[in-house]
Each structure stands twice: as structure tokens, then as C-alpha cells.
Amino acid sequence: MDMTGEERIPAKREIVWEALNTPGILRKCIPNCEKLERKSPTELTATVKLKLGPISTTFKGDITLTNLNPPESYTLVVEGQGGIAGFAKGSSDVKLTEEGDQTILTYEIKAQFGGKLAMLGSRMIDSSSKKLAVQFFKKFNKLAAKRGARMAAKATSTVAADDDE
């Protein structure tokens, strides 16, 4: 399965980059994520409950950040096991482009599924995967924009305080 997309986020690139590297924010964005923990600066572990078609399972997996080019891009490499439901593995290339006070986040996802999941057929897997990606990026956009607004408000209040002196 291959998927591409783009999100326009009303926040500076550095803020979006920081959000992309904050496990607490990512955990809130990943649908049905029960746990997301950092093992090292470039490794995370996750537990996610998923329902793809008639199959419900809990995936436990590892996420590795590679090709790091802060604050412009990285690749997320994911490998997860869903017990008897099968496995999922893939990668996502993420690129951030600053455009004024906004950031354009583009992504390209490549994923493979095995076991019972692979028997569902590519149409159902593609549809479910796209739905999950839309949910993730909608939530991420909201949280990154909120973080950007907070940072902008802080900067404005600091400037105003400096003007008072």
C-alpha cells in the first residue's frame, strides 16, 4: 500500500518539527494508541489497538527515525506485530516546508501487511489505512497549530514586556 498527502499547518516549521518528535503529542494523534514511549533519541515503542475490516487486534511495534535532517525531514520506519492477525511494516517520509507563518507537511507512506490482515484485500486495507492517516493528521494539525499559537502568544507578550521597559 502506498499513500501520499499534504497538510498545511498554521505554525512555524521548528514548532511542527518539535511536535513531530514529542511522544506525548504523537500518542494523542495515533488513533487508539495505548502507549508510545521513547527508547532512545531515534527509537520508540508503541501499542495500538486497530480494527481493520472484521479484524481487531493490538499491535506492538517499534518505530525508528532515520534520515534525520532537522527541522526539514525524516523517515519513520515502523514494524509491528498483531499476534494471529499478522504484521505490519512500512516507512513514511515526512518533509516540512516553511511558507510564511505556516508549514507544509508532506508525507509518503509505504506499508506492507501480512497474515490474516493481508487476506482482507488491498481495497479494504487501503481504505482503512487512509482513514487512520486522515485521523492522525487532522489531530496532529490541531495540536501543532495550538502549540504554534501558544508560542506566538508568548513571543508577543515577551515583546510587549520589553516595550514596557
Side-chain angles (χ1 to χ4, degrees):
M1 181 214 62
D2 293 346
M3 181 180 5
T4 60
E6 178 179 292
E7 284 288 318
R8 181 175 292 273
I9 302 170
K12 291 279 194 187
R13 182 169 64 179
E14 289 76 15
I15 292 166
V16 175
W17 176 262
E18 182 182 315
L20 277 173
N21 288 281
T22 302
I25 289 175
L26 294 176
R27 185 184 48 74
K28 290 177 184 176
C29 298
I30 298 169
N32 304 312
C33 184
E34 295 180 338
K35 184 170 94 174
L36 183 68
E37 296 177 339
R38 185 176 301 281
K39 292 187 338 185
S40 77
T42 59
E43 296 174 307
L44 302 127
T45 59
T47 303
V48 179
K49 280 192 174 188
L50 284 181
K51 180 168 176 36
L52 296 172
I55 298 175
S56 294
T57 190
T58 299
F59 275 92
K60 294 184 182 200
D62 295 312
I63 303 164
T64 306
L65 307 178
T66 63
N67 303 324
L68 291 158
N69 184 17
E72 293 178 19
S73 61
Y74 67 19
T75 300
L76 288 141
V77 178
V78 179
E79 290 189 34
Q81 293 293 325
I84 61 169
F87 70 88
K89 64 180 181 176
S91 65
S92 177
D93 292 317
V94 178
K95 183 178 179 191
L96 304 177
T97 306
E98 197 162 63
E99 194 172 280
D101 286 343
Q102 297 188 339
T103 301
I104 310 293
L105 182 153
T106 55
Y107 59 91
E108 185 176 324
I109 299 171
K110 295 181 186 306
Q112 295 176 315
F113 298 90
K116 287 185 179 181
L117 289 172
M119 290 186 238
L120 289 175
S122 62
R123 192 173 295 153
M124 184 175 285
I125 287 175
D126 287 356
S127 171
S128 296
S129 298
K130 286 178 182 167
K131 181 179 173 186
L132 291 170
V134 166
Q135 289 174 354
F136 173 87
F137 284 109
K138 182 177 180 181
K139 182 74 173 192
F140 180 80
N141 193 324
K142 181 180 175 182
L143 293 177
K146 191 175 181 181
R147 181 176 270 221
R150 257 195 333 265
M151 298 299 274
K154 263 188 196 177
T156 303
S157 67
T158 302
V159 169
D162 289 344
D163 290 344
D164 292 340
E165 293 176 1

